[in-house]
Amino acid sequence: MRDKQPQLNGAYYGPAIPPVEAPRPRRHRNCCCCLFGFCWKLLLAVIILLVLGFLIFWAVLQPRAFRLQVTDATLTQFNYTSSDNTLHYNLLLNFTARNPNKKMGFYYESVESHVSYGGVRFASAEVLTLRDSFRQRTKSTDRMSGVFTGHYKTVVDQDQVKKRLEEDEKKRVFDFDVELHFKLKFIIGDFNSSSTKAKAKCGLQVPLSSDGKTPMATEFASTNCHVHF
Ligand SMILES: *[C@@H]1O[C@H](CO)[C@@H](O)[C@H](O)[C@H]1NC(C)=O
Ligand SMILES: *[C@@H]1O[C@H](CO)[C@@H](O)[C@H](O)[C@H]1NC(C)=O
Ligand SMILES: *[C@@H]1O[C@H](CO)[C@@H](O)[C@H](O)[C@H]1NC(C)=O
């Protein structure tokens, strides 16, 4: 009690008042604590600001992946001759890429595609090369196409593939898996991002085109692909 009173009225008694030795280390510790606390608060504030900034950026931009669709597929030849283990094929795929974003554009640098049948990758083609790379504006759709033609030497010795091929030949509809590898940039205003990669996968059922004698089994139905970054 006695100790505290002079402190309370300290202003009246001037500098002669004693609380000298005891509080010093306490004040030191307080300062250390307060510096630590300040740093901690600053760090917290910076983190909150960053998260907030990111959320606002995300909310304003609402970035979404492009949508890829196979609009048309023309298969004029797909046959396997076991005498020389060769697969002859002639396939044309028409794609459309749609940018659903309001604020973000894409710059497609190159697109490579691979087609497989029954797990056997037999054809590759460049859908887009650096030479014809292009910028896709917001809310717009662009076309691309891939031409796969040639022959592929393979030994279709897996019973599954052979059986499937026989069945598909009867139906005159073939199941293909198409994988596309995109190299692209994001465009936001005047800012270009660095190149990134994206992948797309499409599972297609492609009817063999009419050869004049036999009519086409079905029409090709346009198919959406799964795009992921
Ligand atoms: C398979 O393709 C070859 C090469 O074009 C052709 O000569 C042959 O008749 C075709 N076979 C069938 C069963 O369509
Ligand atoms: C598909 O692509 C080919 C080659 O680019 C083109 O000639 C053809 O007109 C396209 N077909 C459709 C339906 O867009
Ligand atoms: C983005 O990059 C591409 C190719 O790298 C370039 O042609 C284009 O002008 C750039 N766009 C902007 C807005 O900087």
Side-chain angles (χ1 to χ4, degrees):
M1 282 292 262
R2 256 185 208 172
D3 275 337
K4 275 187 183 173
Q5 257 175 342
Q7 252 179 320
L8 282 172
N9 319 338
Y12 291 103
Y13 295 100
I17 286 140
V20 201
E21 301 302 337
R24 217 179 237 163
R26 209 157 138 227
R27 202 184 278 164
H28 185 68
R29 208 196 301 146
N30 270 352
C31 213
C32 208
C33 265
C34 126
L35 189 70
F36 184 72
F38 176 72
C39 282
W40 189 239
K41 274 179 200 155
L42 190 72
L43 188 71
L44 210 67
V46 166
I47 289 173
I48 288 173
L49 265 176
L50 280 179
V51 169
L52 216 65
F54 184 75
L55 284 180
I56 290 171
F57 177 77
W58 205 259
V60 168
L61 216 58
Q62 294 181 309
R64 279 184 287 167
F66 59 90
R67 291 198 209 113
L68 191 76
Q69 196 178 43
V70 181
T71 50
D72 203 15
T74 315
L75 182 69
T76 47
Q77 188 186 34
F78 193 74
N79 77 30
Y80 176 71
T81 38
S82 42
S83 57
D84 58 354
N85 299 319
T86 306
L87 187 68
H88 294 272
Y89 58 88
N90 194 340
L91 173 69
L92 165 68
L93 297 178
N94 293 80
F95 300 94
T96 57
R98 165 123 189 109
N99 178 7
N101 291 293
K102 282 186 209 146
K103 304 245 161 57
M104 190 173 79
F106 293 110
Y107 188 85
Y108 297 94
E109 291 187 305
S110 63
V111 184
E112 230 176 69
S113 60
H114 308 284
V115 185
S116 38
Y117 178 81
V120 179
R121 185 184 279 192
F122 65 90
S124 298
E126 281 181 325
V127 170
L128 194 76
T129 57
L130 263 179
R131 211 179 18 164
D132 45 24
S133 56
F134 69 95
R135 174 180 182 169
Q136 184 171 49
R137 304 200 170 267
T138 53
K139 291 268 170 206
S140 64
T141 305
D142 290 280
R143 287 175 205 201
M144 300 176 202
S145 54
V147 181
F148 308 86
T149 178
H151 47 83
Y152 178 74
K153 285 252 178 218
T154 179
V155 184
V156 181
D157 55 0
Q158 300 140 281
D159 286 345
Q160 264 181 316
V161 179
K162 226 173 193 171
K163 210 171 172 185
R164 191 166 164 178
L165 202 58
E166 278 165 15
E167 278 171 17
D168 284 359
E169 264 164 13
K170 260 183 232 150
K171 279 191 292 175
R172 295 174 64 77
V173 177
F174 296 84
D175 288 353
F176 296 113
D177 290 312
V178 183
E179 200 178 293
L180 296 104
H181 298 264
F182 286 80
K183 237 181 104 184
L184 64 134
K185 288 178 179 178
F186 305 108
I187 302 172
I188 300 156
D190 287 333
F191 174 76
N192 251 356
S193 79
S194 56
S195 290
T196 36
K197 285 176 184 170
K199 253 192 203 178
K201 279 183 180 173
C202 334
L204 306 178
Q205 290 198 307
V206 186
L208 195 64
S209 292
S210 170
D211 56 2
K213 285 172 270 172
T214 31
M216 245 168 110
T218 49
E219 288 282 314
F220 175 76
S222 42
T223 309
N224 289 321
C225 306
H226 296 285
V227 178
H228 51 98
F229 282 86

